[in-house]
Amino acid sequence: MKSTQMIDSINIDTYMKNHSLVIERKLEELVPEQNISQKQLFLAARYALLGSGKRLRPILALATAEAFGGTVSSTITAACALEMIHSYSLVHDDLPCMDDDDYRRGKLSVHKVYGDALAVLTGDYLLTLAFEVIASDDTLSALQKVDLIRLFSQSSGGNGMLGGQIMDIQSEGGAIDLATLDNIYCHKTGALILAAILCGGIVGKATAEEMEYLRLFGNDLGLAFQIIDDVIDVISPEQKHGKKTPSDAKNNKTTYVTLMGIEAAKQIANDLYDRALIHLSHIDRDTTLLQMLAKKLVHRLL
Ligand code: IPE
Ligand code: IPE
Ligand code: MG
Ligand code: MG
Ligand code: MG
């Protein structure tokens, strides 16, 4: 693995902050307020999307593209499209018929402010808008657009995030083993983390072999990410969901924490992170930034 990027732990924070600002500006431009009859939809979408969120998926997409020589300007629309799909998944995930959480991203959940019907429709809007903005982008080639649309639809669909959400809901209250839990996590969360990384590979024109190593890297990182989410649910429930009771316990979910405890869960996430870096080391590009982002994802507090 080449290493020429002058990046250290201070620079990675600056990188993330600067790229978050670029992402925020682009999202703002892609989802303008519209003073028309259905203006509530655009207000709710902006409420769901703007002003908060760690933006980890679009940042990962940008950093991966940059590692392969892609530019921010050619990746930003696809990166924002993925953030729209992720944000839609959160709006629906919080609904009373799903995890029933009142807070998201430090403020009331969309359904608490706009009602359940508008929350469902806002999710639908963000999902469809994601594909519209990719199709309408003028920096991507026709082939890249088709590849991205295929990637994002598969990653968010029945064999991706959506499939994981179904299995997650169906498993509530029952006893499931670690292999089943891993399968749920790789779908409900891993699929969109992996999509972020492969999106960068598509825009940066990675080779087929590089895409395979990116896939292995993304699979491990995605699973580690959800394991840490389980830990955060227990150690900071109030910051995450606005209530003292952890959301997962409230919903009788089996998680890495219920199966093995906080410390063992953290250790497994760390082992997955180590293995993710080994996969990355097979790629003969400067992946310093991706390594540091992976560390940030696995060692985050919220
Ligand atoms: C939360 O994702 C939902 C999961 C898939 C675990 P994030 O922790 O990335 O949430 P935001 O985007 O920063 O709000
Ligand atoms: C979220 O899993 C997965 C998706 C939203 C697709 P969680 O239900 O654990 O996410 P949080 O904890 O509500 O953010
Ligand atoms: Mg959920
Ligand atoms: Mg949830
Ligand atoms: Mg959670």
Side-chain angles (χ1 to χ4, degrees), residues 62 77 141 206 224 284 287:
L62 292 169
T77 302
S141 70
D284 192 23
T287 57

Side-chain angles (χ1 to χ4, degrees), residues 137-157:
D137 183 75
D138 52 17
T139 59
L140 297 163
S141 70
L143 188 60
Q144 283 173 322
K145 289 181 189 180
V146 172
D147 283 347
L148 287 166
I149 288 170
R150 184 185 300 107
L151 173 68
F152 288 175
S153 52
Q154 287 178 341
S155 307
S156 57

Side-chain angles (χ1 to χ4, degrees), residues 93 99 165 168 188 253:
D93 184 71
D99 290 353
Q165 289 287 72
D168 177 281
K188 77 167 183 170
K253 306 246 197 212

Side-chain angles (χ1 to χ4, degrees), residues 54-120:
K54 297 181 288 296
R55 313 299 192 203
L56 296 175
R57 292 153 194 79
I59 291 173
L60 267 177
L62 292 169
T64 309
E66 288 182 85
F68 288 89
T71 60
V72 170
S73 57
S74 60
T75 320
I76 189 71
T77 302
C80 286
L82 188 59
E83 184 68 8
M84 288 174 194
I85 296 174
H86 165 61
S87 301
Y88 125 70
S89 80
L90 300 179
V91 173
H92 284 191
D93 184 71
D94 292 335
L95 284 167
C97 58
M98 298 275 288
D99 290 353
D100 192 15
D101 284 315
D102 293 352
Y103 286 85
R104 170 66 65 183
R105 293 179 161 174
K107 56 189 187 186
L108 284 169
S109 306
V110 173
H111 68 273
K112 296 300 286 182
V113 177
Y114 292 93
D116 294 2
L118 202 55
V120 170

